[in-house]
Amino acid sequence: MSGTPAEQPAPVVRPEVWETYGPADLSAVPVFAGGFINFGFWQAVDLEQPLSQRDRIRSEQDLYRHVLDAVGPAGARAVEIGCGLGLGCALALEEYAPTEMTGVDIHPQQLRRAREANSHLLEARPPRLRFVLGAAEGLPLGDAEFDCLYSVEAAQHFPDLPAFAREAARVLRPGGRVAVASFFSVEGAPAPAERLAGLLDSFASGLDIARPVSRLAEALADAGFADVRTTSIGPQVWPGWDRWLARLWAPGTWPRNFLAAWEQRILDYYLVTATRRP
């Protein structure tokens, strides 16, 4: 693996993030079947039929595939920001064959779980996988160390999107690709933070942060990225997510309001891509 800068102090973890991904272990909640922690990309799943756990895991894997198709890690040095249990890193290694794969997460308990879940890959020789403790806004990684950088459903927690964009530009080589999948408020929606907090406990608690997707797009452009594109993938996310939630949550409970927020044009799910300028 490429060299890294001097060791940095442990990153500061916001209390909401610490509890959710540490003691509460969101990856163990039944709604996140299989240990992935994302809402899923349901395009290949028949939503007219009863959903199975296999369908759910397929949706979570397919969200990674959608992001990885956009960033193109084959034969490249790749890094995932907010890697959780590292199952996306394992999928990337198996199906996309990057030469090196680095998973970064801000939570030490998540990294411990990731190392346990992927022990066979970490023990492989020559090593192609590592996990690193770090914040999106202060990556403990070397300059121009990677060919591609991606993040799947973690950016809604990043407190400083411009700092993340600057770090992404720093650790990518010229011409390197970035892809971010996450949910953001809809451009021009009135009072999105207040409305989302009224609908969804994750926004009311501060775990998720309400910002328009343009905030990330502008940050990437300012940091030195070109060809910045934002694409809504909400139709492939929200209906399937709500169908899965319906197995576990009754109508009127707060998790079912993600679909309502989308239908009211307050919240949507986006894929954001860009290329590091030479």
Side-chain angles (χ1 to χ4, degrees), residues 251-270:
T253 52
W254 78 263
R256 302 293 300 278
N257 283 337
F258 278 102
L259 183 66
W262 178 56
E263 292 174 337
Q264 293 174 32
R265 299 290 298 155
I266 310 169
L267 190 72
D268 203 358
Y269 209 111
Y270 297 90

Side-chain angles (χ1 to χ4, degrees), residues 88-123:
C89 295
L91 185 149
L93 281 171
E94 180 179 353
E95 298 186 14
Y96 291 82
T99 56
E100 298 177 0
M101 184 74 238
T102 297
V104 179
D105 203 277
I106 196 171
H107 207 302
Q109 288 177 262
Q110 284 288 73
L111 287 184
R112 176 180 55 77
R113 297 178 186 124
R115 293 185 177 111
E116 292 172 354
N118 297 281
S119 58
H120 63 295
L121 291 173
L122 293 170
E123 293 165 1

Side-chain angles (χ1 to χ4, degrees), residues 120-259:
H120 63 295
L121 291 173
L122 293 170
E123 293 165 1
R125 293 291 180 269
R128 294 174 57 215
L129 175 65
R130 65 172 172 170
F131 292 109
V132 178
L133 181 69
E137 301 83 3
L139 297 171
L141 305 170
D143 295 352
E145 186 176 348
F146 298 96
D147 303 298
C148 62
L149 177 150
Y150 68 91
S151 181
V152 176
E153 206 164 301
Q156 73 275 8
H157 304 318
F158 299 169
D160 191 336
L161 291 177
F164 161 66
R166 290 191 296 270
E167 282 293 270
R170 181 183 65 79
V171 304
L172 282 172
R173 64 164 176 80
R177 293 279 292 166
V178 62
V180 175
S182 190
F183 46 93
F184 296 85
S185 61
V186 172
E187 204 69 36
E194 293 80 1
R195 294 168 70 193
L196 288 170
L199 286 169
L200 295 160
D201 285 3
S202 58
F203 283 94
S205 71
L207 175 65
D208 297 329
I209 304 172
R211 294 161 298 196
V213 70
S214 62
R215 192 79 56 85
L216 176 58
E218 292 165 0
L220 290 169
D222 290 344
F225 286 91
D227 192 26
V228 181
R229 301 185 182 187
T230 62
T231 304
S232 167
I233 57 172
Q236 291 78 42
V237 174
W238 301 117
W241 174 237
D242 189 69
R243 279 291 312 279
W244 178 252
L245 287 175
R247 291 169 40 114
L248 304 163
W249 295 84
T253 52
W254 78 263
R256 302 293 300 278
N257 283 337
F258 278 102
L259 183 66

